[in-house]
Amino acid sequence: MSSKLEELKSDVEELNKLLSQSTRQKCKDILTLEIRKVQTEISRLQEQIGSSGESIKPTSVVPQQSRCYEVKLNNYAWDQSDKFVKIFVTLKNVHTLPAENVYTVFTENSMELHMNKLDNRNYTLPLKNLLEKIDGSKSSWKVKTDMVVVSLAKEETGKTWSHLTSSEKKAKEPKPTPKLSDNADPSAGLMDLMKQMYEDGDDDMKRSIAKAWTESRNNSGMPSFLERHIVLRK
C-alpha cells in the first residue's frame, strides 16, 4: 500500500505540472478535478496505514477512524507587491500537518487552499473570480507557525488590485439612490420606486417589501414585477 501511496503522490506532482502548462480553461478545470480526486484517495489510504507504516490487516479489529468534518474558511488577510498578491490564513497548529496535507490549486482566476486532517477537520479556503488573472505556475504557498501564506503571481506585474475578487469590488461599489420616475401616474411611479428598491436592496429591505406586499395584496392590485419576483422569507 505504501508503494501505491507513493504512486498517487507522483501522480499529483505530474498533474500539477500539466496544470501549470495548460492554457485552456476547460483543460485546467479537468486537471483540477482530477487532482482533487487523487488527493482524496491519498487521504483515504493514509487512514489505512498503521503506526508501523504497514497496512492494517482486514481481519484486525481496530477502532473506527474519527470522521473529518469539512470547514469552509472565509477569514483571511491579504497584501500585494508589484509581482504578487499574498493571502494570509491563520489556523492554529497548521504547521504540525504533514506536508502533503496542505496544498493549493490554482487556475488563472481562482485559488483554493486545502488544509486536511487538522483536529478531525478538513479546512478549505476557496477564492473564485479573482479581480485579475494570475500565473499558477509561478504561484506558491508556504506553511508557517499557525499560518499559511499563499503567493499569487500577478499575470500583469505592476498592476495594483483594488480588491481581491470581483464580487468584493461589486459589493463595495456605491448603489444608486432610489427615486421616483417622471411617470405621470403617481401609483406607477411608486411601483417603479419599489421595483428599484427591491432590486438594489439587501435582504432586510426585500423582507420589508415582501411583508408590505403580503399585508396589502388582498386590498389592492400589485404590479406583475412584485408578483413574479418577491419571495417571502420565513
Side-chain angles (χ1 to χ4, degrees), residues 48-221:
Q48 298 178 17
I49 301 296
S51 59
S52 63
E54 297 295 328
S55 302
I56 299 175
K57 296 181 180 180
T59 55
S60 301
V61 178
V62 295
Q64 185 176 1
Q65 294 287 339
S66 299
R67 178 183 176 183
C68 281
Y69 296 91
E70 302 296 325
V71 180
K72 183 177 179 180
L73 298 174
N74 53 25
N75 292 326
Y76 57 87
W78 70 284
D79 198 0
Q80 63 181 311
S81 62
D82 287 342
K83 295 183 178 180
F84 293 94
V85 172
K86 292 193 175 184
I87 315 296
F88 303 91
V89 182
T90 301
L91 190 61
K92 187 176 181 181
N93 294 328
V94 67
H95 58 282
T96 64
L97 289 174
E100 61 268 20
N101 284 23
V102 181
Y103 62 95
T104 306
V105 179
F106 303 105
T107 70
E108 66 178 12
N109 59 3
S110 70
M111 180 280 291
E112 191 167 284
L113 171 64
H114 295 263
M115 297 162 286
N116 293 335
K117 294 186 178 181
L118 180 60
D119 298 328
N120 295 327
R121 289 174 175 83
N122 292 333
Y123 292 92
T124 306
L125 174 65
L127 292 176
K128 300 179 180 180
N129 299 317
L130 295 171
L131 186 65
E132 304 289 347
K133 291 183 179 181
I134 62 172
D135 187 341
S137 64
K138 297 179 181 178
S139 299
S140 61
W141 67 94
K142 185 175 183 180
V143 179
K144 298 185 176 182
T145 303
D146 295 334
M147 178 181 290
V148 178
V149 181
V150 182
S151 298
L152 307 178
K154 294 180 178 180
E155 185 174 274
E156 187 175 348
T157 60
K159 186 172 185 178
T160 300
W161 292 22
S162 60
H163 299 80
L164 187 57
T165 65
S166 298
S167 57
E168 287 180 3
K169 181 179 179 180
K170 184 177 180 180
K172 293 183 179 180
E173 288 178 345
K175 297 179 180 179
T177 303
K179 60 183 178 179
L180 287 171
S181 67
D182 296 331
N183 198 309
D185 184 351
S187 62
L190 179 59
M191 291 306 102
D192 288 343
L193 173 63
M194 292 182 67
K195 173 182 176 180
Q196 185 178 353
M197 291 174 64
Y198 186 83
E199 289 179 338
D200 297 337
D202 56 16
D203 288 345
D204 289 337
M205 175 65 73
K206 290 179 180 179
R207 278 193 291 267
S208 297
I209 296 176
K211 182 179 179 181
W213 170 63
T214 303
E215 294 175 348
S216 63
R217 66 181 301 180
N218 295 328
N219 300 323
S220 61

Side-chain angles (χ1 to χ4, degrees), residues 13-34:
E13 292 180 4
E14 187 68 21
L15 286 167
N16 275 315
K17 290 179 182 178
L18 292 173
L19 180 61
S20 65
Q21 296 172 2
S22 179
T23 58
R24 295 185 60 82
Q25 187 58 46
K26 187 172 182 179
C27 294
K28 289 182 178 182
D29 293 341
I30 293 172
L31 289 169
T32 298
L33 180 60
E34 189 62 28

